[in-house]
Amino acid sequence: MKDGEGGGRVRWRRFAVLTIPAIAVTAGLGLALAQGALAASFAVSGQQFKVSATSLEGEGFAQYGSIDVNAREELIPVAVTAIKEAKLHSLCQSVVTTLPVVGDISLNLTAGKKAPVEASNLFVDATQLAGDAVFSNIEIGRDASTLDKGPAEAVGMQDLFAQQADTVSITGLQQTAWATNAGTFKLSGLSMNISKGKKECF
């Protein structure tokens, strides 16, 4: 019997083959944390939510790829949209939860029908974005680690794709997201309701 085999002994070569990739992933995750590559500062839920607005006007726009983490420590790729100052008209946010026996339950939030919703240092970790957009002084293909037009924290990993602009205007905004962060979030005319069935913003 060769040394390191049989008799309950550890097969060191096989152990190394299995362990080294795990160590590399952990190290890479630590590096991503250090470089600001992880997006939301909290564990995201297992549900995405939808956001719509008739229009959005923003100053200081940046967008780059990143990663969210859920409570199971699973990694979720997202596109982070960061805006220094944003105004949204007729904001709608919805999330649908399916419960045993009860079925679908919808949570709907609306605001900004008269005065716009205002947000500063707004970060949205999204998987889908649609609408008609206009940018001023846009830079497409900039290194994500060198972004400087959005919020101060809006930077990604070195060598990764990003874009930024002085201003952004989007009409007919439709977005699916895992998380939203904001320094301040002013919701004028806020209304929230829960109802049975599937009722989404779009």
Side-chain angles (χ1 to χ4, degrees), residues 118-136:
E118 299 179 7
S120 64
N121 293 328
L122 175 67
F123 289 78
V124 180
D125 303 350
T127 56
Q128 176 268 336
L129 171 66
D132 297 318
V134 177
F135 302 91
S136 66

Side-chain angles (χ1 to χ4, degrees), residues 61-62 84 139 142-152 154-155 164:
F61 166 87
K84 277 186 179 180
E139 300 172 357
R142 182 163 178 145
D143 188 299
S145 68
T146 69
L147 294 170
D148 58 9
K149 291 189 176 184
V155 292
Q164 64 177 6

Side-chain angles (χ1 to χ4, degrees), residues 39-115:
S41 57
F42 52 84
V44 300
S45 75
Q47 296 176 282
Q48 294 190 76
F49 56 91
K50 292 185 175 182
V51 177
S52 67
T54 56
S55 65
L56 177 151
E57 292 86 39
E59 296 182 3
F61 166 87
Q63 192 173 62
Y64 54 96
S66 190
I67 299 168
D68 280 349
V69 182
N70 62 22
R72 295 184 179 86
E73 298 186 355
E74 296 168 335
L75 305 184
I76 303 169
V78 294
V80 177
T81 297
I83 303 174
K84 277 186 179 180
E85 300 291 338
K87 293 183 178 181
L88 300 98
H89 296 265
S90 296
L91 173 70
C92 173
Q93 178 178 303
S94 65
V95 61
V96 178
T97 301
T98 302
L99 300 175
V101 182
V102 178
D104 291 335
I105 300 292
S106 296
L107 169 64
N108 291 80
L109 179 152
T110 59
K113 290 185 177 180
K114 294 182 178 180

